[in-house]
């Protein structure tokens, strides 16, 4: 029923826009510039009457939850499709990381701030362990009540939203148990950022997620976080990785603090028609 109504509305918008266009063309013959202006006005009109409601409601998610910044990993290293999509058509390389027993990895992040003598506020960086979360695939629905998920506001702001004189919204009760509300709030945050359609299940993806709850991350440089060099355990070269690129990478690793890195090479096995990964012997 919902899809039928959506199609009906779209047909109404399109028929009315075509009618407006044909009427304007009957009045006078316009220049190319005027036609371009009319097309631009039509585009804006269709956005306001047809696209804006969905655009507005989708933005509400960003209002109740902080922005998420994601680094993606995979449990697979021999999938030809992924090598083609994510590793420059087999010319790139895979990095192998090791997590601890709690499936966490140590990264350098700014956890607090300090004010310098010139009153400039600068970040203080320190090592912290971040969880690597497994992506769930399928049709699991992630639903939240907007008025019960105002995590971007403080309690005083929430109260002003949900109360009027002596009247209090029933949604306000949700916030009274802070511990339980906090638990559910971040559970949904993780779920919405670790969920994909089942068609992507072949990737066996894992994600490291950081947010901007306490730290500004609008600029790219504020999201470039270093990981502990001990976490890098291996590098896999693609079938088409050039010898020049291999040498550059190997030289960088040898001259750095990545002491426990093992190199691997992918090869196509014509007999079984699959990619094999073997350890690559590196001279000293």
């Amino acid at each position: 029923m919902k899809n039928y109504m959506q199609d009906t509305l779209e047909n109404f918008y399109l028929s009315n826009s075509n009618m407006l266009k044909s009427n304007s063309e009957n009045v006078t013959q316009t220049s190319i510039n005027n036609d371009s202006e009319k097309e631009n006005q039509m585009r804006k009109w269709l956005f306001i009457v047809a696209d804006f409601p969905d655009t507005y409601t989708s933005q509400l998610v960003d209002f109740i939850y902080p922005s998420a910044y994601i680094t993606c990993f995979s449990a697979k290293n021999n999938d030809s499709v992924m090598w083609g999509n994510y590793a420059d058509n087999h010319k790139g390389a895979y990095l192998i990381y090791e997590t601890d027993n709690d499936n966490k990895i140590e990264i350098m992040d700014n956890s607090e701030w300090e004010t310098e003598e010139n009153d400039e506020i600068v970040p203080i960086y320190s090592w912290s362990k971040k969880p690597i979360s497994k992506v769930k695939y399928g049709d699991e629905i992630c639903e939240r009540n907007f008025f019960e998920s105002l995590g971007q506001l403080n309690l005083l702001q929430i109260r002003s939203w949900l109360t009027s004189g002596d009247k209090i919204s029933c949604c306000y009760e949700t916030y009274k148990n802070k511990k339980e509300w906090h638990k559910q709030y971040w559970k949904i945050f993780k779920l919405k950022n670790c969920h994909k359609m089942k068609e992507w299940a072949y990737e066996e993806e894992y994600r490291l997620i950081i947010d901007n709850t306490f730290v500004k991350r609008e600029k790219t440089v504020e999201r470039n976080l270093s990981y502990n060099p001990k976490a890098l355990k291996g590098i896999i070269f693609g079938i088409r990785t050039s010898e020049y690129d291999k040498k550059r990478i190997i030289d960088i690793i040898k001259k750095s603090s990545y002491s426990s890195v093992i190199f691997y090479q992918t090869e196509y096995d014509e007999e079984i028609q699959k990619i094999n990964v073997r350890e690559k012997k590196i001279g000293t």
Side-chain angles (χ1 to χ4, degrees), residues 160-172:
S160 68
W161 271 54
L162 302 180
T163 62
S164 177
D166 58 350
K167 296 179 180 179
I168 300 178
S169 168
C170 60
C171 296
Y172 188 68

Side-chain angles (χ1 to χ4, degrees), residues 214-232:
F214 302 109
V215 180
K216 291 193 306 179
R217 302 190 193 273
E218 287 81 4
K219 298 178 182 178
T220 303
V221 67
E222 295 168 340
R223 302 194 293 273
N224 289 340
L225 307 179
S226 302
Y227 58 85
N228 191 324
K230 295 179 181 179
L232 183 64

